[in-house]
């Protein structure tokens, strides 16, 4: 039994005075390249990372669910057979999964669950998908429903769309469930087919920079981007047969709609079309173990997200600028939905420390030179970015526990 499991089981005993029957984990993810392409029927290339949501539970008689998340004060309670409504709290992800499972006629009963997560929240590392997937996997195990992983990813995504209200693509939920150790997951989001691509660069690995800038307004901006992509599709479809998503369009098609739509629509579409192309090239670079080529595509992706799709922010741009100026950093880009959160960089072994130091220096606020400096710093200082190396890990796990009281 590993330490996380041990701690969760002991904590379960203190909160519920019971022994749990199942233990599940679901990782966060870093998308290496292919941003905002998933809801355009395009391509993405995420890895799962070793930051996880842990959940442990046992079924109970009746239909009462008690749910506790370590780090959040309240014990949430609800009756599983009643129609659940949003509470604007973390438990929405659990309730959303339950509502979607009910739609699919899975029989469910009461249970008591303890959750904990070390995936940073709102950082573009898929903390919400990890929570949805951990919930779904746990519930499926508790009530002995054998749900295929791709099917579960779809349930989790519907929870996010229908209950939580974010009209997301399928990338995060698939990554959390289907990634394997030492591989990136190349997904064709049109038909949800996927392929495992080994990540085996010689002497180079991925580093995440969490700017700690919390994503705000991202929901409305995310939905606005989706609407802009749909406007582009509608315009291209009038000129070219068989276009049902930006996946089907080429850059040359955008010249044909130049006078018909606003320039901003053209820019959004140009990002999606060029990004799809970059993802396919990135897979070839991974297969050839060409870290330089892969890194160059990451920089191009960031440029496109910064200027055409306009979902970056000053801090993310600064991180990428520092990456460009640091020996041994081969590529960098923002990752996830954007407007804050994380960047991912491809860094030569041994250069991680220099990169982290340069970031810390660039983000450390100027010291005020009056005598109350320390107090002021504590009051005002924004959180400094966190820099950490990531390796591709395997997707969600489930384990039946056999603990004797
Ligand atoms: C969020 C969404 C994903 C995807 C990314 C952007 O993480 O949940 O579906 O659209 O943004 O690539």
């Amino acid at each position: 039994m590993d330490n996380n499991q041990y701690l969760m089981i002991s904590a379960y005993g203190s909160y519920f005075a019971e022994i749990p029957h199942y233990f599940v984990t679901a990782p966060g993810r870093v998308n290496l390249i292919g941003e905002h392409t998933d809801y355009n029927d395009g391509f993405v290339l995420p890895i799962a990372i070793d930051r996880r949501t842990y959940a442990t539970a046992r079924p109970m008689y009746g239909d009462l669910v008690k749910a506790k998340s370590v780090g959040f004060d309240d014990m949430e309670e609800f009756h599983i057979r009643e129609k659940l409504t949003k509470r604007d709290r973390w438990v929405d992800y659990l309730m959303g999964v339950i509502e979607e499972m009910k739609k699919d006629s899975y029989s469910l009963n009461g249970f008591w669950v303890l959750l904990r997560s070390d995936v940073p929240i709102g950082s573009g590392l898929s903390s919400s998908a990890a929570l949805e997937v951990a919930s779904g996997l746990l519930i499926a195990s508790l009530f002995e429903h054998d749900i295929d992983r791709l099917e579960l990813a779809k349930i989790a995504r519907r929870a996010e769309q229908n209950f939580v209200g974010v009209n997301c693509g399928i990338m995060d939920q698939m990554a959390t469930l289907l990634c394997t150790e030492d591989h990136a997951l190349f997904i064709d989001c049109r038909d949800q087919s996927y392929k495992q691509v080994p990540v085996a660069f010689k002497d180079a690995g991925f580093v995440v920079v969490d700017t700690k800038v919390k994503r705000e307004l991202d929901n409305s901006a995310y939905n606005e981007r989706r609407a802009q992509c749909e406007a582009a599709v509608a315009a291209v479809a009038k000129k070219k047969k068989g276009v049902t998503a930006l996946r089907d369009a080429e850059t040359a098609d955008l010249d044909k709609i130049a006078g018909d739509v606003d320039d901003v629509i053209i820019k959004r579409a140009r990002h999606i079309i060029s990004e799809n192309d970059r993802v396919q090239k990135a897979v070839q670079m991974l297969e050839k173990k060409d870290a330089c080529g892969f890194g160059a595509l990451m920089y191009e992706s960031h440029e496109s997200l910064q200027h055409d799709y306009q979902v970056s922010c000053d801090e993310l741009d600064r991180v990428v600028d520092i990456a460009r100026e640091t020996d041994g950093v081969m590529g960098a880009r923002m990752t996830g939905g954007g407007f804050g959160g994380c960047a991912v960089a491809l860094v030569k072994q041994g250069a991680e420390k220099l990169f982290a130091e340069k970031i810390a220096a660039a983000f450390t606020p100027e010291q005020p030179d009056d005598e109350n400096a320390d107090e002021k710093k504590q009051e005002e200082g924004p959180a400094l970015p966190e820099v950490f190396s990531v390796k591709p890990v395997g997707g969600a796990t489930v384990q039946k526990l056999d603990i004797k009281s």
Side-chain angles (χ1 to χ4, degrees):
M1 185 180 297
D2 79 5
N3 201 33
N4 280 311
Q5 195 176 341
Y6 173 77
L7 290 174
M8 285 292 286
I9 292 166
S10 331
Y12 192 91
S14 0
Y15 287 118
F16 297 113
E18 287 285 351
I19 294 166
H21 292 191
Y22 282 92
F23 177 75
V24 310
T25 77
R29 63 100 189 93
V30 172
N31 189 21
L32 301 181
I33 195 159
E35 223 61 81
H36 290 273
T37 42
D38 61 352
Y39 54 83
N40 286 294
D41 277 4
F43 306 109
V44 293
L45 191 66
I47 58 170
I49 59 167
D50 201 15
R51 301 265 174 139
R52 289 177 182 266
T53 292
Y54 305 91
T56 190
R58 59 159 297 163
M60 299 300 284
Y61 292 110
D63 83 333
L64 181 67
V65 174
K66 289 189 186 187
K68 164 81 190 159
S69 180
V70 176
F72 291 82
D73 283 344
D74 299 332
M75 175 79 75
E76 302 280 349
E77 294 192 8
F78 54 88
H79 293 277
I80 200 162
R81 288 185 207 118
E82 287 173 7
K83 172 101 185 117
L84 307 176
T85 51
K86 211 175 158 194
R87 296 181 178 177
D88 290 319
R89 292 202 288 270
W90 68 267
V91 76
D92 289 346
Y93 296 98
L94 170 66
M95 294 199 295
V97 169
I98 290 172
E99 280 302 303
E100 292 305 324
M101 290 179 84
K102 287 201 269 189
K103 284 184 196 164
D104 288 349
S105 305
Y106 289 108
S107 64
L108 309 173
N109 288 310
F111 60 93
W112 292 357
V113 58
L114 177 70
L115 294 125
R116 183 176 82 74
S117 183
D118 56 27
V119 187
I121 296 172
S123 299
L125 299 179
S126 262
S127 56
S128 44
L131 180 48
E132 289 149 10
V133 162
S135 304
L137 209 51
L138 190 68
I139 297 167
S141 310
L142 287 173
F143 304 113
E144 295 174 2
H145 299 302
D146 186 13
I147 308 179
D148 169 79
R149 287 200 165 212
L150 183 54
E151 197 47 45
L152 191 58
K154 291 180 189 169
I155 291 173
R157 178 205 196 190
R158 275 169 24 211
E160 179 113 15
Q161 293 182 323
N162 301 337
F163 200 87
V164 180
V166 179
N167 202 8
C168 63
I170 191 73
M171 164 171 66
D172 303 346
Q173 292 77 11
M174 280 187 72
T176 302
L177 278 156
L178 296 161
C179 278
T180 56
E181 196 178 353
D182 296 329
H183 291 78
L185 188 72
F186 172 60
I187 309 175
D188 178 341
C189 299
R190 169 157 274 168
D191 61 4
Q192 282 120 29
S193 59
Y194 56 91
K195 145 171 132 172
Q196 308 286 348
V197 189
V199 177
F201 293 127
K202 200 168 167 275
D203 305 332
F206 292 102
V207 167
V208 167
V209 181
D210 183 355
T211 63
K212 302 281 169 82
V213 177
K214 290 292 160 212
R215 296 183 297 162
E216 277 169 29
L217 286 174
D218 66 328
N219 204 354
S220 58
Y222 189 91
N223 289 337
E224 183 190 50
R225 294 301 181 284
R226 283 193 76 131
Q228 289 165 334
C229 291
E230 280 159 24
V233 172
V236 177
K238 282 190 196 145
K239 313 265 162 154
K240 191 178 174 183
K241 276 202 178 128
V243 176
T244 59
L246 281 176
R247 151 75 171 275
D248 308 312
E250 293 163 20
T251 314
D253 298 330
L254 299 181
D255 297 338
K256 297 179 200 145
I257 60 163
D260 307 346
V261 291
D262 203 274
D263 277 358
V264 82
I265 305 290
I266 305 276
K267 289 210 283 187
R268 303 298 186 250
R270 193 166 56 206
H271 165 71
I272 302 299
I273 295 169
S274 63
E275 186 79 347
N276 273 330
D277 188 43
R278 281 186 288 273
V279 181
Q280 293 174 86
K281 288 186 179 141
V283 171
Q284 291 167 14
M285 297 298 164
L286 265 191
E287 285 168 343
K288 286 196 283 185
K289 303 193 182 75
D290 179 348
C292 269
F294 194 95
L297 291 164
M298 292 174 84
Y299 282 133
E300 280 175 31
S301 168
H302 187 80
E303 286 265 299
S304 177
L305 287 156
Q306 181 181 356
H307 300 295
D308 276 351
Y309 218 61
Q310 295 180 298
V311 290
S312 185
C313 66
D314 290 349
E315 291 81 356
L316 286 166
D317 295 342
R318 207 183 323 163
V319 169
V320 174
D321 287 344
I322 295 166
R324 286 183 193 279
E325 291 158 10
T326 307
D327 283 345
V329 180
M330 304 160 100
R333 57 183 289 279
M334 56 152 279
T335 183
F339 304 103
C342 292
V344 57
L346 181 57
V347 182
K348 269 205 177 114
Q349 249 169 39
E352 300 91 345
K353 190 159 169 271
L354 175 66
F355 184 43
E357 282 167 1
K358 285 200 166 197
I359 297 218
F363 280 83
T364 304
E366 300 271 318
Q367 301 285 330
D369 54 6
D370 62 68
E371 54 198 19
N372 297 322
D374 279 353
E375 271 173 42
K376 280 197 178 161
K377 217 174 97 195
Q378 275 184 357
E379 273 171 28
E380 297 162 9
L384 281 178
E386 192 190 343
V387 183
F388 52 94
S389 295
V390 287
K391 282 207 173 67
V393 301
T397 61
V398 53
Q399 206 179 327
K400 192 170 187 346
L401 302 170
D402 185 18
I403 306 164
K404 307 274 178 283
S405 52

